[in-house]
């Protein structure tokens, strides 16, 4: 049996690689996706092979991540439960897709992951596998009672590595867990499981990696100009960039000014609530500026229809249905809605805030001559017409009021 494992080189995945190999008598192929986590990849190949992998693939997927996953999601204005920019959620389908590509190349029989049985990631990995490679088995050790019994805690994992001479750096458990990629960093578990605990207190400054504390941000604001074409950002501060370049640039600018921090209690797909803290500096700027561009260029009814679908789209991403037919169908509508979302937005960054400082477009639907409170030189709108408009829309309200009055 040949199994492809999502591998990072840390304690958990090192134990998983060795344990799965032993229990399943399998040839192990390690897979690591570079999606902007900027973790130290040096020596990963040697470590994986010493742990028992016959081969390791470290694949740079950053361009694909920005272009084919983050940007389509931004076009949909997707935010889960009005706060979460879906950084981890949107990355999992790409990682699983990368694993599947390697599994086919290696003619593997199964995929394996280290997601726990309590979280969302297990669903995201496995729904992607079901949609793209239903013939592959999935090995999930944390849902295997044998694994949980053998490793009830980190101490047992460290002891296992010592016994097996697995090269990992055994260290005390961090007071929280982290997940980083091009879109964000998430923090959860440990000290963050108390929702009353202030994650943004001065004592926790060292936890954050992508952004400074807004109170420590520059005292001078900074203006940033973003150019959009058909709903995608193609330029920052007059410099043409691909999606990856946009994300990297906005992450630096946003991080400098402490924007994009979120602390929320969210509803996991598996049924429980969890507390998460997020840094999404670039994604927050892009989401905000994109909406400003839409206000100028998108038809009202198209915008309202698209907006009504935001919760559904965000759920599909959060739950792991990226490759499901309903998400693809929604994306087709989103793409159509973005046809005229073209122009330039200027934002001001200041101590954790993102403020609009101007927008313009060659296809703007805003006509100051029509909207003006002064005399309309175009005569496109006759204020007298509003009388009949209001009367017709008020008819049902009047009828209902009369009926209710008779019943009293």
């Amino acid at each position: 049996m040949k199994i492809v494992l999502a591998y990072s080189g840390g304690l958990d995945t090192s134990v998983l690689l060795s344990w799965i190999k032993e229990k399943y008598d399998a040839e192990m192929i390690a897979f690591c996706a570079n999606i902007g986590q900027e973790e130290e990849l040096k020596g990963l190949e040697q470590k994986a092979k010493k742990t028992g992998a016959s081969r390791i693939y470290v694949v740079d997927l950053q361009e694909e991540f920005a272009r084919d996953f983050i940007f389509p999601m931004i076009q949909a204005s997707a935010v889960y439960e009005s706060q979460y920019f879906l950084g981890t959620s949107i990355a999992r389908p790409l990682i699983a897709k990368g694993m599947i590509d390697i599994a086919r190349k290696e003619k593997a029989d199964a995929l394996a992951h280290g997601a726990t049985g309590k979280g969302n990631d297990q669903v995201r990995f496995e729904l992607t596998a079901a949609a793209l490679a239903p013939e592959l088995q999935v090995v999930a050790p944390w849902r295997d009672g044998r694994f949980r019994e053998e490793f009830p805690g980190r101490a047992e994992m460290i002891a296992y590595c010592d016994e097996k001479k697995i090269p990992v750096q055994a260290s005390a458990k961090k007071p929280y867990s982290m997940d980083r990629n091009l879109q964000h960093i998430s923090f959860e578990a440990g000290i963050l499981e108390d929702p009353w605990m202030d994650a943004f207190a001065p004592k926790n400054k060292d936890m954050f990696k992508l952004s400074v504390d807004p109170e420590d941000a520059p005292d001078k604001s900074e203006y940033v100009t973003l150019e959009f074409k058909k709903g995608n950002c193609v330029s920052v501060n007059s410099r043409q960039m691909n999606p990856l370049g946009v994300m990297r640039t906005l992450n630096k600018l946003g991080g400098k000014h402490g924007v994009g921090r979120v602390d929320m209690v969210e509803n996991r797909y598996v049924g429980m609530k969890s507390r998460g803290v997020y840094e999404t500096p670039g994604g927050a700027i892009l989401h905000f500026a994109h909406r400003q561009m839409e206000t100028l260029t998108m038809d009202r009814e198209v915008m309202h229809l698209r907006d009504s679908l935001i919760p559904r789209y965000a759920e599909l991403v959060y739950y792991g249905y990226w490759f499901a037919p309903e998400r693809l169908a929604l994306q087709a509508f989103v793409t159509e809605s973005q046809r005229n979302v073209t122009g330039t937005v200027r934002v001001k960054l200041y101590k954790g805030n993102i403020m609009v400082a101007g927008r313009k477009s060659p296809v703007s639907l805003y006509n100051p001559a029509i909207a003006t409170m002064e005399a309309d030189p175009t005569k496109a709108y006759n204020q007298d017409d509003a009388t009949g408009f209001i009367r017709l829309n008020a008819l049902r309200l009047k009828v209902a009021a009369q009926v209710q009055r008779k019943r009293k």
Side-chain angles (χ1 to χ4, degrees), residues 100 104 125-135 320-325 328:
I100 290 167
R104 287 180 171 151
F125 278 121
E126 295 182 38
L127 290 181
T128 299
L132 301 184
E135 72 280 4
Y321 290 93
W322 182 256
F323 291 105
L328 298 173

Side-chain angles (χ1 to χ4, degrees), residues 11 150-162 170-171 173:
L11 178 62
E150 191 171 346
F151 302 107
R154 193 173 179 85
E156 288 79 11
M157 287 186 167
I158 293 173
Y160 178 86
C161 290
D162 288 341
S171 59
K173 186 177 182 180

